[in-house]
Amino acid sequence: MGRCVLLFLLLGFLMSGVAIPLPPALRALSNVRLSTSFTSLPSGDMEHSIRYVQQKVDHFGFKTDRTFKQRYLIADKHWKRDGGSILFYTGNEGDIVWICNNTGFMWDVAEELKAMLVFAEHRYYGKSLPFGANSFKDSKHMNFLTSEQALADFAQLIRHLKRTNPGADNQPVIAVGGSYGGMLAAWLRMKYPHMVVGALAASAPIWQFEDIVPCGVFMKIVTTDFRKNDPDCSESIRRSWDAMNRFSRTGAGLRWLSEALQLCTPLTSSQDVQHLKDWISETWVNLAVVDYPYEANFLQPLPAWPVKEACQYLKNPGVSDTQLLQNIFQALNVYYNYSGQAICLNMSETSTSSMGHLSWSYQACTEMVVPFCSNGFDDMFEPHTWDLKKFSDDCFNLWGVKPRPSWITTMYGGKNINSHTNIIFSNGDLDPWSGGGVTKNITDTLVAITIREAAHHLDLRANNAFDPMSVQLARSLEVKYMKQWIRDFYSSLRKKH
Ligand SMILES: *[C@@H]1O[C@H](CO)[C@@H](O)[C@H](O)[C@H]1NC(C)=O
Ligand SMILES: *[C@@H]1O[C@H](CO)[C@@H](O)[C@H](O)[C@H]1NC(C)=O
Ligand SMILES: *[C@@H]1O[C@H](CO)[C@@H](O)[C@H](O)[C@H]1NC(C)=O
Ligand SMILES: *[C@@H]1O[C@H](CO)[C@@H](O)[C@H](O)[C@H]1NC(C)=O
């Protein structure tokens, strides 16, 4: 598979404007009170029940009545039947328990919003498999994996929740999601406005399709993250590709490279070296995506500010090839061996197995076609053009399907979304995915929040003592909008009666 498919896999999530100045929204916030419920949670206090709901495999055709069980998590400790609300996480490409574990924000605000928390798993991920173990077998079984079907599952689940939880029927539902889940939250509000009163779409690159944004923006932001730590760091990485190419010319060179990088499987061909370079590129990308200010385990267990940690080994781009690649090895170890448990570095692994790599590859090959490119000048990567024909051929070989790159724009509007209301688009400026996100206000109720010093949906993570003030302010602003939506819901309800 070409590099670009792999890339979106691992990037399965998560982008921010480089040097986007603190938006006036945040500056104006200095007088907004920080939410009182932002005390840190004792770990393990994410008590929830696991439930299942019967869903149609195909919401849009009538030929089959087949159903499957969709998993969802529910927590109602702080929920109030009187004047409460429902926060509904629109699950993305992974196990919903893993996603829940990384979405502390909802737990932190549950009490303040008197909210029931619901985390809905996306079909074809985790335990929500339409055809059980056969779900990934071929394109016939994968055929029902689309964002439209997923949104329909969410809408049906909301109806189900309202029927089965007395008191919930007359309550406002707010969609929340990060990354692809953030796109789904925004799209749920756009397509089912009668079901959710608003949406928090965190780090949702809804414009990373077709040529709405330049294909190079993503890699450029990754590079800026490394260069901001130290220009010698991005320069070391830029020079490392040619160093690897020089070693790849001889058998002895390949052996040296395999040993120096302690690879589990030795390199034997130039094709393997291409794979190695793709895997290393993905590693730098992932480090930028999860460059959080404290120790965390989202894609991998990592130290605080992992880009800075990796860059401490990459301070001297002018050294010999052997020294440069030994330094690269040290930097890779920050990502792959923070635990100290790695015996060797495994090029088949880039991130947590809680992510559904297989299903995401199918989505990337059908609807979710995200063009990536690099030029080696504005970024620290080897030049790669975006080649739709090759991408399509690779997809056909892998899945027997061809991508429809313009469908998402047709379905969800691209830049023409002004007629919608009540969506918050939040983006961290360190997040490579912010490049395809909404970072400017569109209307009074389609608002952008840009968070300085924040990586991929940091705002959805639990409150932490090491959080920069920018993310604390962003969260309070998000809660302020949510409260407004809830108030509007109840006041229009009162008018009806
Ligand atoms: C977005 O709109 C809100 C509400 O009107 C405003 O407070 C804020 O300054 C705007 N943000 C940006 C990024 O312009
Ligand atoms: C979620 O967190 C719980 C409690 O810390 C942990 O036991 C569990 O393994 C985590 N699950 C996933 C899939 O990350
Ligand atoms: C991982 O770290 C441990 C402890 O520092 C070290 O012994 C081991 O060699 C490292 N593994 C790799 C693959 O570098
Ligand atoms: C490398 O990772 C793959 C995929 O997780 C796994 O199947 C394989 O056993 C691993 N290889 C080694 C040597 O650990």
Side-chain angles (χ1 to χ4, degrees):
M1 226 32 226
R3 167 177 193 243
C4 293
V5 170
L6 285 171
L7 267 180
F8 203 84
L9 286 183
L10 33 78
L11 313 176
F13 300 59
L14 337 198
M15 220 169 217
S16 154
V18 187
I20 288 179
L22 188 63
L26 296 188
R27 262 185 264 130
L29 252 183
S30 33
N31 56 353
V32 172
R33 180 185 61 92
L34 278 186
S35 168
T36 48
S37 60
F38 287 157
T39 50
S40 63
L41 277 178
S43 60
D45 189 19
M46 287 183 160
E47 264 186 56
H48 58 257
S49 328
I50 299 173
R51 297 205 188 138
Y52 289 85
V53 61
Q54 208 75 21
Q55 292 280 8
K56 289 227 180 317
V57 167
D58 186 3
H59 292 289
F60 304 111
F62 293 82
K63 190 97 175 105
T64 171
D65 267 331
R66 199 189 158 94
T67 61
F68 73 102
K69 287 197 289 180
Q70 177 187 23
R71 181 167 62 160
Y72 66 98
L73 315 180
I74 184 164
D76 61 5
K77 184 173 162 190
H78 297 293
W79 181 51
K80 295 278 182 300
R81 276 156 208 234
D82 188 18
S85 65
I86 300 169
L87 294 186
F88 186 93
Y89 190 100
T90 48
N92 39 306
E93 70 284 25
D95 185 300
I96 196 66
V97 178
W98 167 66
I99 291 171
C100 169
N101 282 357
N102 285 283
T103 313
F105 168 77
M106 281 171 55
W107 299 84
D108 287 349
V109 302
E111 190 171 1
E112 191 171 357
L113 300 178
K114 303 176 193 157
M116 173 194 288
L117 306 183
V118 178
F119 294 83
E121 193 159 65
H122 192 296
R123 54 168 60 203
Y124 290 87
Y125 294 93
K127 298 232 182 309
S128 303
L129 305 178
F131 300 96
N134 286 333
S135 298
F136 318 109
K137 211 168 129 192
D138 51 37
S139 59
K140 202 169 150 235
H141 290 85
M142 294 298 259
N143 195 40
F144 306 97
L145 172 52
T146 63
S147 59
E148 296 90 325
Q149 299 274 13
L151 293 178
D153 289 338
F154 297 151
Q156 289 284 16
L157 174 52
I158 290 170
R159 287 189 60 141
H160 172 81
L161 290 167
K162 294 202 160 195
R163 272 198 306 268
T164 53
N165 294 279
D169 46 341
N170 269 327
Q171 291 206 347
V173 180
I174 294 174
V176 178
S179 200
Y180 168 51
M183 302 192 214
L184 292 170
W187 294 338
L188 187 64
R189 169 65 186 163
M190 294 178 191
K191 296 296 183 185
Y192 297 87
H194 50 291
M195 292 270 180
V196 291
V197 298
L200 169 57
S203 298
I206 60 164
W207 289 338
Q208 195 90 24
F209 297 97
E210 296 191 86
D211 55 0
I212 301 178
V213 299
C215 61
V217 68
F218 186 94
M219 292 311 225
K220 205 170 152 179
I221 299 171
V222 174
T223 302
T224 305
D225 290 349
F226 282 79
R227 196 175 48 221
K228 264 200 298 209
N229 270 280
D230 182 354
D232 285 332
C233 183
S234 50
E235 191 52 31
S236 296
I237 292 172
R238 192 195 312 274
R239 291 189 189 189
S240 71
W241 312 118
D242 274 344
M244 286 178 235
N245 291 338
R246 286 189 282 270
F247 273 101
S248 72
R249 288 187 198 128
T250 65
L254 289 175
R255 274 193 300 280
W256 185 87
L257 206 49
S258 309
E259 270 169 37
L261 301 179
Q262 300 202 18
L263 301 177
C264 299
T265 313
L267 308 164
T268 59
S269 65
S270 59
Q271 217 182 339
D272 288 351
V273 175
Q274 188 56 51
H275 181 192
L276 171 73
K277 289 187 290 185
D278 293 345
W279 172 74
I280 293 176
S281 301
E282 289 177 15
T283 308
W284 306 140
V285 164
N286 283 1
L287 278 168
V289 165
V290 297
D291 195 18
Y292 297 132
Y294 47 84
E295 194 176 68
N297 180 2
F298 182 41
L299 302 178
Q300 287 274 2
L302 290 177
W305 297 118
V307 170
K308 185 170 158 228
E309 287 294 315
C311 282
Q312 71 174 339
Y313 300 106
L314 301 173
K315 287 181 178 305
N316 200 344
V319 293
S320 65
D321 282 359
T322 52
Q323 187 60 53
L324 182 63
L325 294 175
Q326 274 159 354
N327 294 347
I328 292 282
F329 168 71
Q330 297 292 333
L332 289 172
N333 256 302
V334 170
Y335 188 79
Y336 291 108
N337 196 18
Y338 183 53
S339 64
Q341 306 291 304
I343 292 156
C344 53
L345 301 190
N346 186 341
M347 295 199 309
S348 307
E349 285 175 350
T350 48
S351 65
T352 172
S353 59
S354 293
M355 263 177 79
H357 295 91
L358 205 52
S359 294
W360 185 259
S361 121
Y362 177 85
Q363 288 196 266
C365 273
T366 49
E367 287 185 324
M368 307 298 293
V369 185
V370 173
F372 283 113
C373 63
S374 53
N375 62 18
F377 179 75
D378 295 317
D379 54 66
M380 62 188 186
F381 298 93
E382 280 190 310
H384 274 91
T385 49
W386 167 244
D387 182 346
L388 180 60
K389 169 81 172 65
K390 181 178 185 306
F391 180 82
S392 177
D393 292 346
D394 287 345
C395 285
F396 193 76
N397 289 334
L398 189 62
W399 290 108
V401 297
K402 286 184 182 153
R404 297 180 191 164
S406 60
W407 175 244
I408 288 290
T409 316
T410 307
M411 182 70 196
Y412 302 113
K415 287 238 166 181
N416 299 318
I417 55 175
N418 300 32
S419 59
H420 301 292
T421 59
N422 293 1
I423 305 176
I424 306 165
F425 295 97
S426 64
N427 282 283
D429 67 353
L430 301 177
D431 183 6
W433 286 113
S434 65
V438 179
T439 51
K440 291 197 173 85
N441 280 346
I442 300 178
T443 65
D444 284 357
T445 67
L446 291 183
V447 295
I449 299 180
T450 305
I451 314 166
R452 277 202 304 188
E453 296 176 85
H456 203 43
H457 50 61
L458 176 64
D459 50 336
L460 291 190
R461 301 185 63 81
N463 188 38
N464 185 288
F466 293 96
D467 278 332
M469 182 58 80
S470 57
V471 77
Q472 298 177 39
L473 293 172
R475 288 181 188 134
S476 348
L477 187 55
E478 289 163 2
V479 168
K480 196 181 131 206
Y481 280 112
M482 289 180 180
K483 284 179 161 174
Q484 184 64 46
W485 301 336
I486 294 169
R487 270 197 305 274
D488 291 349
F489 174 89
Y490 282 116
S491 67
S492 69
L493 201 63
R494 273 192 301 275
K495 276 185 212 134
K496 270 186 228 152
H497 292 151

